[in-house]
Amino acid sequence: MTFPHTRMRRLRRNEPLRALVRETALDPGDFIYPLFICPGEGVRREVSSMPGVFNLSIDEAVREAEACASLGVGGLLLFGLPESKDETGTGAWDENGIVQQALRALKQSAAAKKLVLIADVCLCEYTSHGHCGIVVKAGDAYDVDNDPTLELLARTAVSQARAGADVVAPSDMMDGRVAAIRRALDEASFAETPILSYASKFASAFYGPFREAADSAPQFGDRRSYQMDAANPREALREIELDLGEGADMILMKPAMPYLDVVRAARERFGVPMGAYQVSGEYSMLHAAFQKGWLDPQRAMLESLLGIRRAGADFIVTYFAKDAARLL
Ligand code: PBG
């Protein structure tokens, strides 16, 4: 039956009808809001390339958590800007590191009962060279050394679990880190702490503003020897398969908008809980267009999030979490 019997416009006539047949929904509980924790007190320093995103001292982060909880946001993803950095990223697993202190403070707050506290596991915010693992030099060349890095990542995850992280999320892209972290968590009696693996993380230009927010730009070279090539969707599926085999409980796809085909492919192949990270550059480019008056902020923001959900992500890590929750 085609036109004039079938008229697709019949179900688009008014909002109640459209709502009835809507296939995908946005729920604030599916948003995770990233926080960048810095030393000090009363610090709320805006990231110049990310309007509305701040480096927050722990007291301010607790206030932010309370705001998120009352908006119904699902969780927080914690990054740390340590007091000092060194070659091996000692600050990442320090029991009194910035993220560990923040986790303890957040755990004490009422907000913690409503939010999933996720700790990002990586060394790049803590190393003086800004790479995600231990760097070894060979003449003029250098390499990020996979296997010795695993032990440091595992230590980081355990210290975060001990400080109160509900979930640990390795974002470094070292091979074998999920297995190493799982083993270390189990040995330290954190068998119940889930791992959200950034299983499919591409070497992306869209991380640019984050590196200002987290002060983690590599001092030399780039991350292409450990993050994935943007051209490789099949490789992304292998990465996910390996991480699940090593014990990942959930997977995270990153970036989101330029990689929605990969999100969809992962959704079709794997039945596990999956998130997508709408990264800093995705947020900043939309904001730049908002500032110019080129895009309607509310509609473009919600549409970008809906696209990610429609591709198959169960949850979204997004700097829009609060703004979108407020609208919904
Ligand atoms: C750490 C990490 C990065 C992001 C999340 N975890 C940066 C990177 O890989 O360079 C990027 C997030 C964003 O751009 O919002 N490895």
Side-chain angles (χ1 to χ4, degrees), residues 16-328:
L17 266 179
R18 290 191 292 270
L20 183 73
V21 300
R22 193 158 285 143
E23 299 176 35
T24 315
L26 287 174
D27 179 338
D30 298 329
F31 300 151
I32 294 167
Y33 190 55
L35 292 185
F36 300 100
I37 318 285
C38 67
E41 236 187 276
V43 181
R44 208 180 159 75
R45 189 170 53 233
E46 193 165 22
V47 179
S48 68
S49 52
M50 300 181 74
V53 173
F54 300 84
N55 289 164
L56 301 168
S57 52
I58 292 172
D59 53 326
E60 291 289 330
V62 170
R63 285 215 265 162
E64 199 74 9
E66 277 155 8
C68 286
S70 62
L71 286 166
V73 169
L76 302 175
L77 177 60
L78 269 56
F79 296 97
L81 289 89
E83 202 94 54
S84 64
K85 306 190 185 219
D86 56 31
E87 285 281 304
T88 52
T90 314
W93 66 85
D94 183 349
E95 295 296 336
N96 270 317
I98 187 79
V99 163
Q100 288 78 359
Q101 287 184 46
L103 283 165
R104 274 185 228 113
L106 287 165
K107 266 291 171 212
Q108 303 282 309
S109 74
K113 288 185 186 61
K114 298 194 186 154
L115 296 165
V116 181
L117 299 181
I118 308 173
D120 184 270
V121 181
C122 195
L123 302 185
C124 67
E125 300 122 70
Y126 305 91
T127 50
S128 43
H129 44 72
H131 278 289
C132 302
I134 294 175
V135 167
V136 285
K137 290 203 176 81
D140 280 350
Y142 68 89
D143 190 26
V144 174
D145 204 354
N146 192 91
D147 297 9
T149 301
L150 299 181
E151 144 87 26
L152 305 184
L153 294 167
R155 241 192 257 176
T156 302
V158 169
S159 73
Q160 292 168 337
R162 197 172 286 131
D166 298 314
V167 175
V168 293
S171 70
D172 50 281
M173 286 301 276
M174 298 303 124
D175 289 317
R177 89 262 208 227
V178 173
I181 290 171
R182 185 70 272 156
R183 197 175 319 116
L185 285 172
D186 290 357
E187 278 168 12
S189 313
F190 293 106
E192 303 287 332
T193 302
I195 298 175
L196 166 62
S197 167
Y198 288 67
S200 163
K201 178 170 176 179
F202 290 90
S204 172
F206 289 91
Y207 306 149
F210 173 94
R211 293 176 185 173
E212 184 204 340
D215 185 23
S216 67
Q219 298 303 303
F220 49 85
D222 55 42
R223 304 210 204 286
R224 283 184 294 181
S225 67
Y226 45 106
Q227 298 179 351
M228 273 189 298
D229 190 292
N232 293 0
R234 290 194 301 265
E235 186 186 345
L237 297 179
R238 274 191 83 198
E239 282 281 5
I240 296 167
E241 199 166 23
L242 289 168
D243 282 11
L244 292 175
E246 290 178 29
D249 300 280
M250 302 181 273
I251 55 173
L252 191 60
M253 315 295 290
K254 179 182 169 187
M257 283 150 60
Y259 296 85
L260 292 182
D261 58 322
V262 189
V263 175
R264 165 54 46 185
R267 174 73 303 152
E268 281 168 7
R269 176 89 70 93
F270 303 102
V272 298
M274 175 180 73
Y277 196 144
Q278 185 181 45
V279 301
S280 57
E282 302 179 61
Y283 174 85
S284 298
M285 73 178 174
L286 283 169
H287 256 281
F290 301 161
Q291 280 177 8
K292 291 258 189 196
W294 290 347
L295 288 176
D296 178 277
Q298 299 187 349
R299 291 186 54 206
M301 168 177 71
L302 293 182
E303 193 175 325
S304 72
L305 295 168
L306 194 62
I308 297 166
R309 285 276 291 124
R310 209 179 51 235
D314 299 311
F315 54 91
I316 307 174
V317 181
T318 174
Y319 302 97
F320 287 124
K322 275 168 47 198
D323 295 336
R326 225 173 266 124
L327 282 178
L328 291 168

